[in-house]
Amino acid sequence: MNQQFEIEFKNVLTKEQYENLLKKFQVEEKMIVRQTNHYFDTPQFHLKALSSGLRIRQTKNKTVVTLKEKTAENIHLETTEEITEEQARNMLQGNGFVADKVKEQLNRLNIPIEELKLFGSLTTDRVEINYKGGTLVFDHSFYLQCDDYEVEYETDNEIEGKEIFQNFLEENQIAIQAADKKIARFMKALNDRKG
């Protein structure tokens, strides 16, 4: 189990801005990593009410369960636990919850674990680049007939990170347009489809 505070800044990109950044940073095909996030909540949205999210993330190399708890505007406490593909399959089919440390955190938040259900999945092609002491992330996500693009900056220092990110946006002539978390965008698209 791994527990850490994640400090990140996000901004929406257009397809053109995203493609320009890939060119500028000389991103090659092999640098793009595909990941799929499977999102969970209760039918009453207990996690959403706490500005938190629960997901299973699958990449080519590993599968992890992550609980994100919002602690400040740009800061989340992440509890992450690696699981096997078979365990992930069971959880996705609603057959139990195997990540014990994540389960402890959910219990602490009074989340009824037996009511958790899969709401859907979102796939992202991700590029991560070391940038000024942090990590610059370019994401192209697709879900529910939606396509979107964003840039993130992950850092250890909220004040410095915010300045670096704002300068990055300015230098690349990208208008400030805060991006919601992926789970929030997914849920909005899901609700729009139902509506």
Side-chain angles (χ1 to χ4, degrees):
M1 194 238 359
N2 178 12
Q3 201 169 47
Q4 66 183 35
F5 284 99
E6 177 189 64
I7 303 170
E8 68 179 5
F9 301 90
K10 295 168 161 282
N11 203 81
V12 173
L13 296 174
T14 64
K15 183 175 194 279
E16 185 182 8
Q17 288 168 334
Y18 170 81
E19 288 172 350
N20 287 342
L21 288 171
L22 294 190
K23 281 186 197 128
K24 179 178 178 173
F25 286 88
Q26 301 173 348
V27 173
E28 298 172 31
E29 192 69 36
K30 66 183 178 191
M31 295 166 68
I32 300 173
V33 176
R34 178 158 288 185
Q35 60 186 34
T36 300
N37 291 341
H38 306 284
Y39 296 112
F40 294 81
D41 205 336
T42 66
Q44 297 79 28
F45 299 105
H46 284 85
L47 287 163
K48 183 181 177 188
L50 297 171
S51 297
S52 297
L54 178 67
R55 71 171 183 235
I56 292 177
R57 172 173 285 170
Q58 294 179 300
T59 62
K60 197 167 90 176
N61 299 323
K62 67 179 178 178
T63 303
V64 296
V65 178
T66 300
L67 171 65
K68 281 191 173 197
E69 300 170 65
K70 188 170 187 169
T71 58
E73 185 184 353
N74 298 302
I75 304 175
H76 287 80
L77 174 64
E78 286 193 353
T79 305
T80 300
E81 205 167 332
E82 193 164 345
I83 59 173
T84 66
E85 280 188 39
E86 186 182 350
Q87 289 172 322
R89 227 180 349 266
N90 286 332
M91 281 179 66
L92 291 168
Q93 292 167 356
N95 299 326
F97 194 97
V98 295
D100 292 335
K101 295 298 181 188
V102 174
K103 191 189 282 189
E104 280 177 30
Q105 287 292 105
L106 290 167
N107 283 328
R108 194 180 53 73
L109 296 171
N110 296 316
I111 304 298
I113 292 167
E114 67 285 351
E115 292 181 27
L116 287 170
K117 67 174 207 152
L118 175 68
F119 272 87
S121 304
L122 175 150
T123 298
T124 300
D125 285 340
R126 167 166 283 192
V127 176
E128 294 185 359
I129 295 167
N130 292 330
Y131 184 79
K132 299 189 177 182
T135 304
L136 204 51
V137 180
F138 305 136
D139 278 348
H140 171 204
S141 297
F142 26 103
Y143 52 97
L144 302 173
Q145 286 83 49
C146 297
D147 260 275
D148 64 34
Y149 304 86
E150 69 182 317
V151 59
E152 294 180 12
Y153 186 61
E154 297 174 0
T155 178
D156 292 333
N157 184 308
E158 186 178 11
I159 294 163
E160 283 178 17
K162 185 174 186 177
E163 190 178 327
I164 289 168
F165 189 59
Q166 286 176 336
N167 289 339
F168 169 83
L169 295 177
E170 244 175 69
E171 286 165 19
N172 290 284
Q173 299 172 335
I174 298 168
I176 293 173
Q177 190 180 352
D180 286 333
K181 290 249 170 244
K182 287 180 182 65
I183 188 168
R185 299 198 311 262
F186 175 85
M187 293 308 278
K188 182 184 182 309
L190 188 63
N191 289 333
D192 289 349
R193 279 183 83 182
K194 288 178 182 172

